[in-house]
Amino acid sequence: MSATVNDLQAQVDRLHHNLQTVTAQHELATQEGDLITVSDYLLTRLEQLGVTSIFGVPGDFNMRSGNQDYIEDHPRIQWVGNCNELNAAYAADGYARIKEHSVGVVVTTFGVGELSAINGIAGAFAEMVPVVHIVGVPSTLQLKTRPLLHHTLGDGRFEAYMKAAQQVTLAQASLMMKVNAPAEIDRVLTECITRSRPVYLTIPFDLVGEQIPAKRLTVPLLRSPPLNDPEVEAYVIDSIVKRVEEAGQDVIILVDACTIRYGVREEVLDLVNKTGFPVFAAPMGKTAVSEQHECYGGIYMGSLTDPGIKDRVEKAKLILSIGALKSDFNTGMFTYSIPPTHTVELHSDHTLVRYAQFPGIGMKLLLPKLTARLEEYRKGADRVIVPHYKPVIPQEADTRISHAYLWPRVGQFFKEKDIIIAETGTSSFGLFDIPLPDNAIFLSQVLYGSIGWTVGSLLGAAIAARDLKLGRVILFVGDGSLQLTAQELSAMIRYGVTPIIFVINNEGYNVERRLHGMYRKYNDIATWKYTSLLTTFGDIGGTASRSFTVRDKASLNRLLEDPEFAKANKIQLVEVIMDKYDTPRALEAGSAMSMLSTQKSSQ
């Protein structure tokens, strides 16, 4: 099936959904109470999608219309006020990553607010996270007449912000008439949940309180992907089964980011359980499958992989790659040694079997049928040995905390259902090799890599975790990254979440030092008193938080073994003093390869 035909199928599905909506409207035409404000319509749709918190910063184009009042007065949706719009976008991103079948929502004002948020929205777009960006804008009359308003560029180009948003969002809607507001809201939200990317919605302040029919709300938004062409799908499954037979049971599964983003965790787990094939993960697919599963073998990232794992993956006769996202850091600086002749790739909207591409054959609907066909190979897979990677805490004479020591040691601290968030660079590379407990969730922004993302994301993730009754939320962030977005600690205190925050104090940008300028001053940062941040940013009396500094292995161990610390019943910050030039193994190797690649490309 061609991509064009697949698009047409998606349109047919949307038209079918609209037909259901019209039918519901007709059936309810005589009922009373069928009017609702534009703002309440939008909030009801978001509530139907599982949203319980909305992030943002108030502005006059939001408040003047009462839009902020509608949110604050909603009985089941919490308004979470952030310190700035960038952090709000990061928080919405983190929230959506934890609430995998919901969306994150950020609300900003026109111009100054939305541009502040755009970097966070761009990160969500790059990493395929469903975020709804709602912008309060001038009135419909002002949008038409374009007076010299504040928050504009002063030249009448009111559409400039929409054009900017178009670069980092999948779909956009600018509401100008109440008559089509429900359809436009439904359109962008449907795009957001089915294609897992941010969308952009502007609401003029004079439309917020306008009354519109509520009848469409009786029909849930369409979540299912477009149907696969049955004949092509059957052919693809036959082709994959043939490749499995030719591989003589020497098959592995490699899961990646889109396994999580497109909601196929359960389908993949069923495939692993019923086939017994060994399963490995790319860095962005970490915890897509439980790292305690008997078939789990570890993280594969090309040449940066532990040798035992690298050998097992690259020597497999067939790799079923699910949801691959082949970015530089995710593939060990493009060092995957997996030929296409040994690979089947399953994606959200296409499938690759060796060199043949099948557009429109999506993995969500394909996987259950493929699993049913491959289940008979379980007996042979039972004889396959899966090399479980277990990091060893080194016996070092030096009392200082090294990266070689830190990461396997904190790995012993983690519990089931913990959420572990790692900042780009030092922390993420340190944790890639550490197997996490069952039902743990790992978050890191590997592709977009906006330093400081984790602090804002931590707030959203912690609020979502509290809603879902998950475990502790634990952040590992470098001192340089923390300084970009540290003020969001105040929102965490304000809204009562209790994460554990490990701050790696190595006096600057370690990942940048590894890439270039090892001894340059531009990679150094100002010295902060990190243990005073929580009291400075809101815990004035010092009763809602705890802060610690650990300078050696002994003090680190005492803290990690402290039952009160482990309870995480207060927000806690741990400053970990480390050598300025020490670095995790994988990051050191990866940065060396990156520098070599840069040198070659410049020659």
Side-chain angles (χ1 to χ4, degrees), residues 474-552:
I474 305 170
L475 167 65
F476 294 89
V477 61
D479 49 358
S481 296
L482 176 66
Q483 289 192 11
L484 269 73
T485 48
Q487 64 269 55
E488 216 55 43
L489 295 172
S490 64
M492 298 176 204
I493 295 168
R494 180 183 179 189
Y495 293 100
V497 293
T498 59
I500 300 174
I501 303 163
F502 288 90
V503 181
I504 309 302
N505 184 347
N506 52 14
E507 303 177 45
Y509 304 120
N510 182 40
V511 64
E512 307 295 356
R513 286 196 184 105
R514 309 310 303 186
L515 293 171
H516 184 77
M518 179 69 77
Y519 305 105
R520 291 288 186 175
K521 292 181 180 178
Y522 52 66
N523 284 326
D524 296 337
I525 61 172
T527 300
W528 283 16
K529 189 174 182 180
Y530 295 101
T531 53
S532 296
L533 290 180
L534 296 179
T535 51
T536 299
F537 283 125
D539 184 23
I540 307 301
T543 60
S545 67
R546 301 187 190 97
S547 295
F548 311 87
T549 297
V550 293
R551 300 179 180 277
D552 51 38

Side-chain angles (χ1 to χ4, degrees), residues 391 393 405-415 431 434-437 476 560:
I393 300 175
Y405 183 91
L406 175 65
W407 303 112
R409 179 62 187 89
V410 296
Q412 296 179 340
F413 175 72
F414 300 143
K415 299 178 181 179
L431 283 166
I434 307 303
L436 301 181
F476 294 89
L560 295 179

Side-chain angles (χ1 to χ4, degrees), residues 133-144:
H133 186 186
I134 302 168
V135 183
V137 299
S139 69
T140 52
L141 178 61
Q142 290 170 334
L143 292 173
K144 293 174 182 176

Side-chain angles (χ1 to χ4, degrees), residues 31 226 318 568:
Q31 295 184 17
L318 182 66

Side-chain angles (χ1 to χ4, degrees), residues 237 267 270 363-373:
I237 292 173
E267 289 84 354
D270 193 46
M363 60 185 175
K364 181 74 173 177
L365 301 178
L366 175 72
L367 273 168
K369 299 171 187 175
L370 178 63
T371 298
R373 290 284 301 277

Side-chain angles (χ1 to χ4, degrees), residues 452-473:
W453 166 83
T454 56
V455 181
S457 179
L458 171 64
L459 171 65
I463 289 175
R466 183 170 61 188
D467 288 350
L468 298 174
K469 295 180 172 53
L470 299 177
R472 304 171 303 180
V473 184

